[in-house]
Amino acid sequence: VTPLSDVRPNDSCVIAGRIARTEIRFGRRRILLCHIEDNTGILTLQFFHFRQNQAATLAEGAFIRAFGEVRGFGQRLVMTHPEYRILEDPWSCPV
């Protein structure tokens, strides 16, 4: 598991953290944004194809582990359509 402060654009890595905020943005298409934080930084997961129950699963305060390729957009780090798992046991998440 890579701390968010060590993640760089174009890395493929496993990250873990707490979901700080989840939102749906509307524009040309709907986008589900899930902001993940650990003690070292913040990263955003984005989903262009999602269902409403997926947005409910990614609820604020839950702990998550995700794998994917990181892209940089300005100062933000974004993982698009990562593989992820909600962690039942927060102690299994190194936050």
Side-chain angles (χ1 to χ4, degrees):
V1 176
T2 307
L4 295 180
S5 62
D6 294 342
V7 174
R8 300 289 175 248
N10 301 319
D11 284 352
S12 289
C13 59
V14 175
I15 58 107
R18 187 181 69 82
I19 299 174
R21 184 170 48 118
T22 299
E23 61 182 303
I24 297 175
R25 286 216 182 134
F26 295 92
R28 287 192 337 222
R29 64 166 57 172
R30 293 182 326 151
I31 302 173
L32 173 63
L33 299 173
C34 183
H35 306 282
I36 309 299
E37 66 181 9
D38 66 6
N39 293 333
T40 65
I42 295 177
L43 181 137
T44 301
L45 308 180
Q46 70 179 4
F47 302 90
F48 296 109
H49 308 287
F50 65 94
R51 297 183 186 266
Q52 199 61 35
N53 64 344
Q54 184 178 14
T57 301
L58 297 170
E60 183 177 325
F63 289 87
I64 188 171
R65 182 175 291 142
F67 170 78
E69 186 174 353
V70 178
R71 299 283 183 202
F73 291 100
Q75 300 288 44
R76 295 182 326 148
L77 295 174
V78 177
M79 231 184 237
T80 302
H81 287 284
E83 296 179 33
Y84 70 90
R85 177 164 296 169
I86 299 297
L87 302 174
E88 298 298 325
D89 178 17
W91 295 107
S92 64
C93 182
V95 177

